[in-house]
Amino acid sequence: MIRVGVFGATGYAGKECVRLLESHPSARVAFTTGSGGAHLAHEAGLDQAADAYLLALPHGVSAKYAASLRAARPDATVIDLSGDLRLATAAAYKHWYGHEHPAPQLLDGTPYGLTEVYRDRLPGARLVSNPGCYATSVLLPLVPLLREALVDPDDIVVDAKSGATGAGRAPKEELLFCEVADDLSAYSPGRTHRHVAEIEQVLHETSGKTVALTFCPHLLPVKRGILSALYLRSAASPAALAQALRTFYAAAPFVRIVDAPPKLSDVVLTNDCRISVHAAAPGRVVVFSAIDNLVKGAAGQAIQNLNRCLGWDERAGLPGGNA
Ligand SMILES: NC(=O)c1ccc[n+]([C@@H]2O[C@H](COP(=O)([O-])OP(=O)(O)OC[C@H]3O[C@@H](n4cnc5c(N)ncnc54)[C@H](OP(=O)(O)O)[C@@H]3O)[C@@H](O)[C@H]2O)c1
């Protein structure tokens, strides 16, 4: 049994980490924190209390904890669920997050934990940056298709919809029940959503080209789940694209290529991602991708990454999976 400390466990993502760890066969929760004791880990003495740490903290805060834990416990495994370590440079972070990076020394060599895509970078890693929820839903279908040059990197449009837990638990007027219920709205238009940066970074690494993504997020009146629709230009048939995805994810327990458009209820409370491919207009396809933002989009993928880092079965403790 390894001991796992969960920072930010009063928030939505941290609570989900605790919930999932409770059924993990090889890990147990050593301690949890909220912001009540808002100080760096070593000051609380918590850095000695666990063998692995999940950081479900706001960006700007999380990297300070990661730096402190790395210094105090170089052998421990730290998974950061925030956006702090996702972008490759401190300059990109400042551009997208609007403030200086709190620990730029951590950016070099920290793997981006999109598990199925970067699985070989994870074994033995001591610090992993967990991807954003929207980014996970967009990149899982897109990366294999771009790697095989089956879709045009210059023409990618994503219309994505998320449940309200995606915005965190802190009270906000626009997230009040009466503002969200029975309604649907777009937000962060015009290249302002931060996940655009990490998606474009991965697409650049994958295709070797600078990719400008059109990305429109929407707020759904449900608690959890993300459904992304990707409008792509392709000379290949939908069947050929679906086959390429099936081949890429043949050994991936949590990604399933399905025939009908996936529903949120297919994936909520699981670590699964379901993807389908359909004809749109001539030369265009639409690809649907569904995940639970708090599981595959946050806590589940974090534990999947922890499992990979420690050499365990990546399914350990996680709901869903094909096997
Ligand atoms: N929600 C999602 O779907 C999702 C998906 C992927 C990634 N993430 C990322 O995961 C992280 C947590 O997100 P969330 O949605 O769970 O947010 P949240 O519900 O607002 O929870 C934030 C947590 O951090 C704690 N906290 C806030 N300020 C702190 C400080 N200065 N020092 C120490 N602890 C502090 C809060 O404690 P109190 O409750 O005591 O204030 C709470 O436990 C964020 O970086 C977010 O971007 C979230």
Side-chain angles (χ1 to χ4, degrees), residues 23-188:
S23 17
H24 199 292
S26 310
R28 67 174 176 80
V29 176
F31 67 84
T32 61
T33 75
S35 62
H39 31 216
L40 291 181
H42 67 94
E43 292 167 335
L46 292 173
D47 52 5
Q48 302 304 323
D51 312 299
Y53 302 89
L54 302 180
L55 305 181
L57 297 167
H59 65 81
V61 174
S62 208
K64 292 180 190 162
Y65 279 73
S68 169
L69 289 164
R70 291 293 300 130
R73 291 291 309 280
D75 289 337
T77 307
V78 180
I79 314 286
D80 179 21
L81 280 77
S82 85
D84 275 351
L85 304 177
R86 294 179 194 153
L87 302 184
T89 67
Y93 180 88
K94 187 175 181 188
H95 175 79
W96 285 93
Y97 285 80
H99 56 87
E100 295 293 338
H101 198 285
Q105 73 278 13
L106 297 182
L107 295 178
D108 194 23
T110 298
Y112 182 73
L114 188 66
T115 326
E116 287 78 6
V117 171
Y118 297 119
R119 54 191 315 104
D120 295 340
R121 300 181 185 179
L122 298 167
R126 293 286 184 260
L127 179 62
V128 173
S129 173
N130 220 53
C133 46
Y134 278 126
T136 298
S137 81
V138 172
L139 290 170
L140 285 176
L142 205 41
V143 167
L145 300 180
L146 271 185
R147 276 196 186 171
E148 297 294 324
L150 287 168
V151 294
D152 180 354
D154 293 325
D155 191 352
I156 300 173
V157 177
V158 178
D159 174 282
K161 300 177 181 67
S162 173
T165 52
R169 193 160 177 250
K172 298 177 193 83
E173 186 178 318
E174 67 273 21
L175 295 176
L176 290 169
F177 179 82
C178 291
E179 305 298 323
V180 174
D182 301 328
D183 213 343
L184 176 65
S185 56
Y187 65 99
S188 296

